[in-house]
Amino acid sequence: MIMLAVAFLLGLIFCLLFGVPYIDFLKKHMIGQYVKDCAPEAHAKKQGTPTTGGIFIITAVMLGSVIALAMAQCLTTEAFIILLTLLFYTFAGFQDDYIKIKGKGNDGLTPRGKLLRQIAIAMLPVLYLMMTKTGAGDLSIGHYVLHLGWLYPVFAVFVITGASNAYNLTDGLDGLAASTGVFAFLACALISLFSGCPEAAVISATVAGALAGFLRYNKPKAEVFMGDTGSLAIGGLLGTVAVMGKFEILLVIIAGVFVMETLSVIIQVISFKTTGKRVFKMSPIHHHFELCDWSEKKIVFVFALVSAILAVISIVLYILVNRGIL
């Protein structure tokens, strides 16, 4: 538990330290965000805000994780696989951001191109798990076990890819993805520790700290956005940690806010294509609340509170199930 606190502080400190020079670099080179025409009118003022802040988040995570893992004597192959997956997702996200910046618009990688990259990267931790872990093809929580066998890789890739996209969809308001992510990764850190995966626990704690540090620069009114560089990578890491820690089922609760954001988009699309009517004023759902005259700060606060509650529920549920109480 002490090492988790150390990892959190390392992520926090490094992110705070790296933020200032990187944001100055972005401002100097005019690397800013382009706002979609379909976005709420209030977002027009965000035009030109520095983006690709995920670079210094991931740098803080990588450096903080390596130091904390070395201190905990957990610098193993499993830790290397998790961090390598994070790095590959960062490259994919940066490529998307780079195309947007270069084209001076909001069209990056094609949806198909982005999805193929996400799937290919997700296969790295999944194949490692299948080749090295006994019972890797099982879904379990406590004494409840579902044997998926060779269907498991398909499911696990879906979990990681889905988490990456869900977190990416959530990154639409100042401080929203970062604040909700802090609680999600704190839950992952504790559950990973309880499940006997200290590598995932330490890395998750470092990410939670880095996201807390990023809030210093991303809270309303944001000085910098994480961009797809950060959101695709952090979301992909969230799914990877759940897969490596073997608590994939609980991820539905841990990442409840991100699941809700994704479902709102799916419901909106299906409803509009089948009936011609929209269920929400705009999706993802945080935009719906914006158009209901909720302030940006109120939305972020409520969503972060929900994420914190879900994190506590997931931890308590894990403990109760593994103690045979449920």
Side-chain angles (χ1 to χ4, degrees), residues 10 15 22 32 39 47 53 57 63 85-86 100 109 114-116 131 150-151 186 213 228 237 253 257 282 320 325:
L10 285 172
C15 198
Y22 189 73
Q47 182 84 13
I57 300 175
L63 184 57
T85 302
L86 172 63
K100 292 176 184 175
L109 294 169
K114 185 186 292 187
L115 182 61
L116 288 175
M131 291 187 295
W150 285 100
L151 285 176
L186 284 175
D228 283 7
L237 179 64
I253 300 174
V257 169
M282 186 178 287
L320 292 178
I325 299 174

Side-chain angles (χ1 to χ4, degrees), residues 242-259:
V243 167
M244 298 294 272
K246 299 302 295 176
F247 54 90
E248 305 94 333
I249 297 174
L250 276 178
L251 187 62
V252 176
I253 300 174
I254 296 169
V257 169
F258 315 134
V259 172

